[in-house]
Amino acid sequence: MIELVVDARKKDLGGFEVGRVLPFAERRMVGPFIFLDHMGPADFEPGHGVDVRPHPHIGLSTVTYLFEGELVHRDSLGSRLSIQPGEVNWMTAGKGISHSERTDPYRREIGARLHGMQAWVALPTENEEDDPAFDHYTGADLMEYHGDGLYARLIAGEAYGAKSKVKTHSPLFYVHWEMAAGVKSAPPKGHSERAAYVVKGAVEIDGRRFDAGQMIVFEKNADAVVTALTPATVMLLGGEPVGERLIWWNFVSSSKERMEQAKADWKEGRFALPPEDDKEFIPLPQDEAPVQPAAEAGPEEAPEGAPEAISEPVPAAAQAAG
């Protein structure tokens, strides 16, 4: 029933701690999900906050979802929007985009708390060079279920016979559960690859206990049941593989040549910067920096919680040697 258990690795991104879940040496992807960070929970003293300077992406969609707090998103398309808990920022990089994420000035002044998830979804090969786009979805756009101690929100994709309004490019699902102690529920069926990440609390699956910070990857077609041992928050994710991918810093691509071009474009200033946040940016990591397995890449390379310098392909089956 359980194929693999992944423990989030703690990464300090300059005073802001994240739990790095994907990519992992033994499991680089789950469906099209190629990156997953658990952000916080973090409390910032007055005058402090998150400052993720402008940085680039290609070949993926970034998905930001918050439980607590607020982040201000700016991108090179001219988008400027504050994301609130229960909302979704879905930014499709395609052939190239840059963006920043910062704490709102008012929250920075009074002190801020931040808790959420950030995922990357690899684009299908035919969409890797799409024009970049940014979409924001409020809680009213997302389907919800309440009943018998379970709250469920379909963030993106298809699950349990429902389809989210969030625009995606390949078959996937992304679900948020809030479970009362003793509640039982099952991950959605109909997807080749599925996983559950425990954000808070403890759950039992197949007679085993799992705590916050652990991701359980299910065997294909497993009839898994998740039982909340305590009040628990769980994220469910997965879908269909999109093929082999390279991941280096903030770039994802099926082509080594395209990856090298993106590196050169950022280094030479050919990416546009967000119009309202163009006074600074994160420089390209040194090309001579050693390539490291995802499980070992350090936070100094990860400005957005994201720069696993991995040059080998990420297999379609999401299984790779470390």
Side-chain angles (χ1 to χ4, degrees):
M1 182 175 297
I2 297 172
E3 179 182 310
L4 182 70
V5 178
V6 179
D7 293 324
R9 289 89 65 205
K10 296 297 182 182
K11 302 290 183 181
D12 185 350
L13 305 183
F16 176 53
E17 188 173 79
V18 301
R20 179 70 42 77
V21 187
L22 290 175
F24 181 61
E26 297 178 36
R27 187 78 191 202
R28 299 283 170 79
M29 299 174 73
V30 177
F33 287 84
I34 195 168
F35 179 88
L36 185 68
D37 258 6
H38 180 186
M39 304 185 295
D43 292 294
F44 297 95
E45 297 292 332
H48 299 274
V50 175
D51 281 302
V52 179
R53 294 169 292 159
H55 57 280
H57 291 288
I58 65 165
L60 56 86
S61 292
T62 65
V63 188
T64 305
Y65 182 79
L66 299 183
F67 305 113
E68 297 178 90
E70 179 180 4
L71 279 175
V72 179
H73 165 98
R74 297 179 178 87
D75 63 43
S76 52
L77 300 176
S79 310
R80 183 194 187 284
L81 191 139
S82 293
I83 182 173
Q84 306 283 343
E87 300 178 342
V88 176
N89 277 1
W90 191 286
M91 185 184 75
T92 299
K95 62 186 178 184
I97 197 170
S98 71
H99 76 132
S100 65
E101 291 172 307
R102 300 183 186 268
T103 298
D104 177 85
Y106 174 73
R107 289 184 180 270
R108 186 187 300 271
E109 181 179 340
I110 64 174
R113 181 173 174 83
L114 184 68
H115 187 200
M117 304 294 299
Q118 187 161 79
W120 292 0
V121 176
L123 293 171
T125 306
E126 62 269 23
N127 297 114
E128 286 185 295
E129 295 299 314
D130 282 2
D131 289 335
F134 174 77
D135 296 289
H136 174 79
Y137 301 88
T138 68
D141 296 321
L142 308 178
M143 301 183 70
E144 299 178 339
Y145 168 83
H146 299 260
D148 301 323
L150 174 68
Y151 167 78
R153 173 182 281 136
L154 177 57
I155 298 171
E158 297 186 44
Y160 308 111
K163 184 175 182 178
S164 171
K165 293 182 181 179
V166 174
K167 180 182 177 182
T168 60
H169 295 84
S170 65
L172 62 84
F173 70 95
Y174 197 27
V175 175
H176 169 199
W177 277 351
E178 292 290 338
M179 308 175 76
V183 167
K184 297 183 179 183
S185 193
K189 297 182 178 181
H191 300 275
S192 296
E193 299 181 0
R194 301 174 298 161
Y197 175 73
V198 184
V199 175
K200 182 175 66 177
V203 302
E204 181 180 276
I205 303 170
D206 199 24
R208 297 169 60 183
R209 177 189 173 110
F210 300 99
D211 295 292
Q214 293 188 295
M215 184 177 75
I216 303 91
V217 181
F218 301 106
E219 292 182 349
K220 187 175 182 178
N221 300 322
D223 290 324
V225 174
V226 180
T227 303
L229 300 177
T230 69
T233 302
V234 178
M235 301 296 286
L236 305 160
L237 63 146
E240 303 307 311
V242 293
E244 291 187 347
R245 290 294 182 270
L246 297 165
I247 176 172
W248 192 92
W249 195 40
N250 299 306
F251 303 136
V252 169
S253 181
S254 60
S255 163
K256 182 177 180 180
E257 292 73 22
R258 183 67 182 92
M259 186 79 76
E260 294 301 319
Q261 182 63 57
K263 291 160 66 174
D265 287 344
W266 184 249
K267 186 175 183 178
E268 299 300 324
R270 290 191 286 267
F271 273 84
L273 295 175
E276 294 187 3
D277 194 353
D278 60 358
K279 306 306 181 187
E280 58 180 352
F281 60 88
I282 299 172
L284 189 79
Q286 294 297 311
D287 287 346
E288 62 268 24
V291 172
Q292 303 176 52
E296 299 174 6
E300 70 280 357
E301 296 179 324
E304 195 195 2
E308 313 295 4
I310 306 165
S311 62
E312 72 269 23
V314 179
Q319 293 285 21

